Amino acid sequence: MRILHTSDWHIGRSFHGHPTLDALEGVLGELTRIVREQSVDVVIVAGDIFDSATPSADAYGVLTRVLTELRDTGAVIVATSGNHDSAARLGFQSEFARLAGIHVLTRDETLDVPVTVDDDHGPVHIYGIPYLEPALIRHRHPGEILRTQADAVRFAMRRIRADLAERGGRSVVVSHCFAQGVADAASDDLRDITSGGIDLVPMSVFDGVDYAALGHIHGRARLSDSVRYSGAPLHYSFSEAGKPRGAWLVELDATGLASVDWVDLPIPRRLSILTGTLDDLLTDDAYTDAEDDWVSAVLTDTVRPLDAMRKLQRRFPHCATMVHEPSVVADHGTRTYAQRVQGKSDIDVIDEFLAYVRNGEGASAAESEIIRDAVAEVRSAETSA
């Protein structure tokens, strides 16, 4: 049996204010082509199908078209809800979707009810663990201690193992969680992870199944041969620049996991982080290849340039972010600003202020002339008052 493991589609997500619906639909269209060419039997989406609990009509339209095209290949689809999804909205009419071979698993009451798909070697039981918020489910399971994500996923896996022991056969678990061992794969886009380790799920929780298809991390990650994250199909953060986009192609044979191979998805627009002075970024031929990329510019000018973003976007139309990080930072010592200007003239006080806020660079000759004229005008006005 061939299974394509994907996750974190985040339909409806914007990239620094720019819509991504068209780009995502194009990438998922390529995913459909892979499913057809590779004769995939099951497509898994491990949570965060939408980016919002209240998706737009356009986002629903993309999902409908993509699922229809995937189902037309003959593949069974198994999807779970993530922390960005509304389980209730995503699971609405899931019973009808199931009749069409699209299984949307969002309820904690049915954790131990698998989607069973048969091949020449017998059944494969696919169990879905939606994102489990302990505070929202503990009242339905009063006999369980459900304080953390680890508690919730352990609880789910106990039920799954008990059911699997009775059914027998091969098994796959789909879970949306933050498992230990993926710190290097995390990005600044993971907005809902609690600090201090409270929401970390030990990888050992997934022992006993042939494959664990995880979601929540936006970069691919291999925790073990049988426990993996596929990452998101699009780049949603500049921290993901240079990281591949794709899915895991999982093959099960008669005894269990046979192989796992990575399949690449196209990247509609690359991400580039460019560092240098504004003049360098605007004129250096070394940056020509990045002119059509999403660009995050890090300006190293001593003084923050005026109107820098507009100038950058003339060369890089898709420049999305800009930060000023001077390559040289003035050392003002231990004296306070008041101590440094004590006893100085008004003109010297202004020059000292400019040097303080501009990393040691005081007034230029032209600025000094303007300052002298302004101070003289103020003194003249005060004298005549």
Side-chain angles (χ1 to χ4, degrees):
M1 180 175 294
R2 285 191 160 186
I3 300 170
L4 194 68
H5 166 199
T6 76
S7 73
D8 296 272
W9 290 3
H10 285 277
I11 302 173
R13 178 76 187 269
S14 63
F15 182 80
H16 295 279
H18 300 273
T20 63
L21 277 177
D22 289 344
L24 178 60
E25 188 165 5
V27 170
L28 295 179
E30 180 65 13
L31 185 104
T32 302
R33 184 192 65 79
I34 292 170
V35 168
R36 181 176 288 107
E37 290 185 356
Q38 295 292 333
S39 299
V40 170
D41 301 294
V42 179
V43 175
I44 285 173
V45 191
D48 279 354
I49 294 170
F50 291 116
D51 188 62
S52 167
T54 55
S56 67
D58 288 341
Y60 273 112
V62 169
L63 179 62
T64 300
R65 289 190 295 273
V66 170
L67 292 183
T68 300
E69 291 170 3
L70 284 171
R71 190 67 188 105
D72 284 345
T73 68
V76 173
I77 300 163
V78 179
T80 61
S81 51
N83 55 301
H84 281 254
D85 298 308
S86 164
R89 285 189 175 91
L90 187 63
F92 178 65
Q93 292 191 338
S94 59
E95 291 301 312
F96 292 100
R98 178 177 59 83
L99 299 175
I102 300 172
H103 303 266
V104 183
L105 310 178
T106 64
R107 299 171 56 199
D108 60 286
E109 301 96 325
T110 57
L111 292 167
D112 52 1
V113 179
V115 175
T116 299
V117 183
D118 293 301
D119 64 7
D120 293 340
H121 306 295
V124 174
H125 306 297
I126 304 171
Y127 296 88
I129 305 177
Y131 182 78
L132 299 176
E133 180 58 57
L136 299 180
I137 67 170
R138 65 170 65 107
H139 69 281
R140 288 196 289 269
H141 311 282
E144 298 288 339
I145 297 175
L146 299 172
R147 298 193 183 98
T148 67
Q149 278 282 293
D151 292 337
V153 178
R154 282 194 190 98
F155 160 66
M157 285 302 299
R158 283 198 304 271
R159 289 180 52 175
I160 288 168
R161 289 193 190 94
D163 181 76
L164 185 59
E166 293 185 5
R167 293 179 188 271
R170 295 158 295 167
S171 59
V172 172
V173 164
V174 185
S175 180
H176 193 86
C177 66
F178 190 53
Q180 282 181 316
V182 292
D184 292 339
S187 77
D188 60 16
D189 181 61
L190 296 177
R191 291 162 282 175
D192 300 305
I193 294 176
T194 303
S195 61
I198 191 171
D199 276 345
L200 294 178
V201 176
M203 186 180 67
S204 59
V205 167
F206 300 104
D207 289 349
V209 295
D210 292 298
Y211 185 77
L214 305 186
H216 196 30
I217 302 299
H218 288 188
R220 72 176 181 186
R222 173 188 172 277
L223 278 63
S224 71
D225 286 344
S226 61
V227 182
R228 301 179 188 237
Y229 285 91
S230 64
L234 282 185
H235 289 122
Y236 289 119
S237 166
F238 277 105
S239 65
E240 301 165 15
K243 295 180 180 179
R245 302 289 90 173
W248 292 113
L249 183 60
V250 181
E251 187 150 2
L252 302 180
D253 60 16
T255 60
L257 186 64
S259 64
V260 184
D261 297 303
W262 179 255
V263 291
D264 285 305
L265 287 173
I267 296 172
R269 193 180 303 282
R270 293 184 310 175
L271 275 63
S272 291
I273 301 173
L274 307 182
T275 302
T277 65
L278 178 61
D279 185 60
D280 286 343
L281 296 187
L282 295 179
T283 60
D284 197 328
D285 289 341
Y287 303 116
T288 300
D289 287 346
E291 288 179 352
D292 196 43
D293 296 354
W294 288 117
V295 167
S296 175
V298 181
L299 301 184
T300 60
D301 301 74
T302 303
V303 178
R304 185 184 183 93
L306 293 174
D307 206 15
M309 178 61 91
R310 183 178 61 85
K311 294 174 182 177
L312 284 166
Q313 288 177 339
R314 288 177 181 171
R315 183 177 189 186
F316 308 103
H318 306 287
C319 182
T321 69
M322 184 202 75
V323 294
H324 181 223
E325 295 181 0
S327 57
V328 177
V329 179
D331 182 4
H332 298 293
T334 58
R335 293 190 305 157
T336 66
Y337 176 72
Q339 290 171 332
R340 288 198 304 276
V341 302
Q342 187 175 6
K344 293 189 176 183
S345 68
D346 291 342
I347 292 176
D348 288 338
V349 168
I350 296 171
D351 187 67
E352 186 72 32
F353 173 76
L354 290 174
Y356 180 75
V357 299
R358 301 200 303 199
N359 293 307
E361 184 174 316
S364 65
E367 290 170 335
S368 294
E369 185 177 348
I370 294 172
I371 292 168
R372 285 194 298 271
D373 290 345
V375 170
E377 186 176 338
V378 171
R379 288 173 177 168
S380 176
E382 289 175 344
T383 300
S384 61

